Amino acid sequence: MTSSLDLSDWWAKKIRNGTPVVVTMQNPNYSVVEIDGPDAAAFRSMDKDRGKNAKQFTWVLLLKAHRAVGCVAWLATALWALLRAVKMRLFLRRGFPTESDLPGKGRSLLRFLRAFLVLSVVMLAFEMIAYWKGWHFKKPNLHLPDNLHIPEATEIRGWMHTAYLTWLAFRTDYIAYPIQVVSNFCIVLFIIQSLDRIILCLGCFWIKLKKIKPNINGDPFKSDDIEGSGSEYPMVLVQIPMCNEKEVYEQSISAACQVDWPRDRLLVQILDDSDDETIKLLIRSEVSKWSQRGVNIVYQHRLIRTGYKAGNLKSAMSCDYVKDYEFVAIFDADFTPNPDFLKKTIPHFKGNPELGLVQARWSFVNKDENLLTRLQNINLCFHFEVEQQVNGIFLNFFGFNGTAGVWRIKALEDSGGWLERTTVEDMDIAVRAHLNGWKFIFLNDVKVLCEVPESFEAYRKQQHRWHSGPMHLFRVCLPAIIASKISIWKKANLVLLFFLLRKLILPFYSFTLFCVILPLSMFVPEAELPIWVICYIPVLMSLLNILPAPRSLPFIVPYLLFENTMSVTKFNAMVVGLFQLGSSYEWIVTKKAGRSSESDLLMAAERDSKPIHQLQLNRGVSEGELIELNKLKDQQVAAPPPPKKENQIYKKELALALLLLTAAFRSLLSAQGIHFYFLLFQGVSFLLVGLDLIGEQMS
């Protein structure tokens, strides 16, 4: 101890003399190293730096506290906004029907979810009582005797304790095992579908690595032949089916009429199924305008509107002049092809007589409009970039997207033409053409501008048709697939992959596993789902889905939650289509906003603000049409204002939101961290969707 005191005095003396030293302890001896030179200044200011470091540490703490307060304030603001929205949706509505108030809209599924919710609330109350009384058993397993201690008769306290012990034995012996069996079955389906997704991504990676894409042999067009004889330009028919498409008819007709193709070898058909007289006059006026400019364009309106879009296309193909044309390009009313569309698609048919379809990719003008459009963009980018491209390159078959494609008319005729038996006439004709040996090509680098639905109501109806139609078609065409002359592996691809795995199994396991079994396992913890099923694999699959749209990576969590939320709609639609229930043959035209560009948005707003007599309809309109127009103006003046639009309330999603939040609260009793957070965020996601707080908001 003496040496230590002497060393301290010596150290203080050296500091007073201005000579810094470093003391290194080497037990049990001490060694002193003297430092001279420019580094000595750093040691002289050591005490001063210690003061500065303390002040800096204080400022860091203050900054972190300020940031934490900001986060808490943001969360409080968001919660307050959510509560206000709930109040507006639930308590301030005046007789506006909810989605489930309409007849035949998933009543059976809603009753099941309500019963499940009531049962879960009762079970939660029972578990809460047992927890507070100390009867709660942690981490149970399927084998009750090995993990649970059942009290003796002397230890049982009251009838409620007896009832709880009876419930534990009953759920272990009779409930847990069936749930575990169904859970394992869904997990197997989940793994198979995930492997299919991984294989598709590997195929897409191989295509990118090897730069594989359909090529055009030689130069199909002569540079001086555009206004010449047109021998290198086949006869092409452009069809635009529409029905009450007031927002987009003008831009689609304009884009089709400006396609770079010899005018004497091109005919544009406007297939109007509108039942609104004003819209019909507007469309006929637009057709007359382009006809006066020298474009071969015809307007066709059906008196008997049957078969929806398939009936419209079938009626157009029955015209006598169609036999003079070799190819037909189809565009929905919100699609605006580039002028070089035909020059990038038609040449692929040259020298390839087995080719029946050339499909282009969709591009979305309003993909950044709101959160709903961003999430749709992720799904559709994966569909085109991965699914369509891989199937087109390796299988020469994929589902026709119904628009932005060019068909060889002979392929349509050989396959039986357009049929009105389902609401997915595009998939129907593609399957029949594949069974007849026709091949398809997908062009990932040819894009056609279009819209995605901006409101959840429109998106939900679209998804119902897209998932009920394929199941209806599967029932109808399964005998034809079995009896066809294509190879066994092509039949297996059609039945097992195209229909069952991607159209039936995906919505089935998504709804069953994450919306039924997962919350149920919180009340029957003996059948608890493993963490990798609810966390690791879904996150991996979501990352793979987002790869074709890398700018959407910050939305991976909302995308994962929203996909599980949509599983209710997709599962219900799948069951409706498979068993041909009431709404399996229902077609509701998807609402469009007419967002072809920002300038067109301003023009559309200005056009909509003008009265109908200022729209310059008299150019190219007959005298009889002008008389009808004057009548429409008088009717418009006398007509009452249109009813105010409001956001819907979706009871199935709200019931599932309450169910998942109840299960999340139950998971706290068992300290299940990942399960709790997943159920909590998924429940909030269902709540937002059920209150229609995602997508376009009506004022």
Side-chain angles (χ1 to χ4, degrees), residues 561-629:
L561 297 175
F562 182 70
E563 281 300 291
N564 290 334
T565 305
M566 285 304 300
S567 65
V568 183
T569 299
K570 296 176 181 179
F571 175 80
N572 183 55
M574 181 268 293
V575 173
V576 165
L578 186 62
F579 298 101
Q580 295 185 4
L581 302 179
S583 58
S584 62
Y585 195 70
E586 179 185 33
W587 184 304
I588 299 176
V589 178
T590 304
K591 178 186 174 183
K592 282 93 174 178
R595 299 181 183 275
S596 60
S597 65
E598 291 299 326
S599 59
D600 289 340
L601 277 178
L602 299 176
M603 292 174 60
E606 182 180 358
R607 182 183 66 239
D608 293 340
S609 64
K610 292 181 180 180
I612 193 170
H613 66 275
Q614 296 182 7
L615 292 177
Q616 298 181 357
L617 291 175
N618 54 352
R619 181 174 53 194
V621 181
S622 65
E623 182 178 356
E625 291 172 348
L626 286 175
I627 295 175
E628 293 294 330
L629 179 61

Side-chain angles (χ1 to χ4, degrees), residues 494-662:
L494 265 178
V495 175
L496 299 180
L497 293 181
F498 186 75
F499 278 112
L500 292 183
L501 182 60
R502 297 167 188 166
K503 302 297 188 298
L504 187 147
I505 290 178
L506 178 59
F508 170 77
Y509 84 74
S510 297
F511 174 76
T512 306
L513 195 61
F514 297 109
C515 299
V516 177
I517 293 180
L518 178 59
L520 187 60
S521 66
M522 296 298 100
F523 300 98
V524 187
E526 293 85 358
E528 178 183 333
L529 290 176
I531 294 179
W532 57 270
V533 172
I534 65 174
C535 182
Y536 302 145
I537 293 185
V539 170
L540 176 60
M541 293 300 104
S542 299
L543 282 173
L544 294 179
N545 279 13
I546 289 181
L547 285 180
R551 290 180 55 193
S552 302
L553 188 60
F555 301 96
I556 181 173
V557 174
Y559 173 74
L560 172 61
L561 297 175
F562 182 70
E563 281 300 291
N564 290 334
T565 305
M566 285 304 300
S567 65
V568 183
T569 299
K570 296 176 181 179
F571 175 80
N572 183 55
M574 181 268 293
V575 173
V576 165
L578 186 62
F579 298 101
Q580 295 185 4
L581 302 179
S583 58
S584 62
Y585 195 70
E586 179 185 33
W587 184 304
I588 299 176
V589 178
T590 304
K591 178 186 174 183
K592 282 93 174 178
R595 299 181 183 275
S596 60
S597 65
E598 291 299 326
S599 59
D600 289 340
L601 277 178
L602 299 176
M603 292 174 60
E606 182 180 358
R607 182 183 66 239
D608 293 340
S609 64
K610 292 181 180 180
I612 193 170
H613 66 275
Q614 296 182 7
L615 292 177
Q616 298 181 357
L617 291 175
N618 54 352
R619 181 174 53 194
V621 181
S622 65
E623 182 178 356
E625 291 172 348
L626 286 175
I627 295 175
E628 293 294 330
L629 179 61
N630 291 328
K631 292 181 180 179
L632 288 172
K633 289 194 302 182
D634 297 337
Q635 294 175 3
Q636 190 180 39
V637 172
K644 181 181 178 181
K645 294 183 178 180
E646 299 184 27
N647 290 88
Q648 293 269 5
I649 286 182
Y650 303 100
K651 291 186 177 181
K652 288 193 287 290
E653 282 76 6
L654 284 180
L656 266 170
L658 298 177
L659 173 64
L660 293 174
L661 293 176
T662 303

Side-chain angles (χ1 to χ4, degrees), residues 69 128 144 198 208 403 458 532 622:
V69 171
M128 287 293 298
L144 183 63
I198 293 173
K208 297 293 184 184
T403 178
W532 57 270
S622 65

Side-chain angles (χ1 to χ4, degrees), residues 660-672:
L660 293 174
L661 293 176
T662 303
F665 189 76
R666 170 61 181 85
S667 69
L668 287 176
L669 302 181
S670 302
Q672 297 165 313

Side-chain angles (χ1 to χ4, degrees), residues 28 62 65 77 96 119 272 357-358 510 563 631:
L62 289 175
T77 304
F96 192 80
L119 181 62
D272 184 23
L357 168 67
V358 174
S510 297
E563 281 300 291
K631 292 181 180 179

